[in-house]
Amino acid sequence: MHPPLTLHRHPMCVEIIEQFQKCHLEHPIAKFFGDCTDLKVKLDRCFRQEKAVKRKANFEESKKMKERLQAIRKEMTEENPQMQA
């Protein structure tokens, strides 16, 4: 099963999505017997790569947020030493 094939949500996989949808339109019965399977495998790989890129970007953003939060906490404890957590 794959996520919805909306082109604007999957910019890395646009070409493969279009080929996959075209295959399904051109082979309405044969698609059930594996005619579009090779494109499905490519699409799955593309989605995995896309997810890895997003995961890495989210991790980097999370790292920056943690650093900012630690800096704020440090600043607050330096200003008011009674507020140690």
Side-chain angles (χ1 to χ4, degrees):
M1 194 76 179
H2 52 75
L5 300 178
T6 52
L7 300 177
H8 69 280
R9 295 196 70 202
H10 304 286
M12 292 176 57
C13 305
V14 171
E15 186 178 319
I16 299 171
I17 290 172
E18 289 172 348
Q19 291 173 358
F20 184 69
Q21 289 174 335
K22 183 180 176 186
C23 182
H24 272 235
L25 289 174
E26 291 175 356
H27 309 286
I29 303 297
K31 68 181 178 186
F32 296 112
F33 299 103
D35 217 31
C36 302
T37 302
D38 56 336
L39 288 172
K40 172 74 168 105
V41 170
K42 287 181 186 178
L43 189 61
D44 288 341
R45 286 185 187 142
C46 185
F47 285 151
R48 273 189 232 119
Q49 289 174 348
E50 190 176 61
K51 188 174 182 178
V53 168
K54 287 180 183 179
R55 188 180 315 120
K56 185 176 180 178
N58 287 340
F59 179 72
E60 293 298 324
E61 186 178 337
S62 169
K63 212 164 150 179
K64 289 177 186 177
M65 290 287 269
K66 285 180 184 179
E67 289 172 0
R68 275 191 247 143
L69 182 59
Q70 287 177 348
I72 291 171
R73 285 181 180 165
K74 184 178 179 181
E75 184 181 306
M76 288 179 68
T77 56
E78 287 174 357
E79 289 177 4
N80 191 357
Q82 296 173 350
M83 287 187 58
Q84 291 182 353

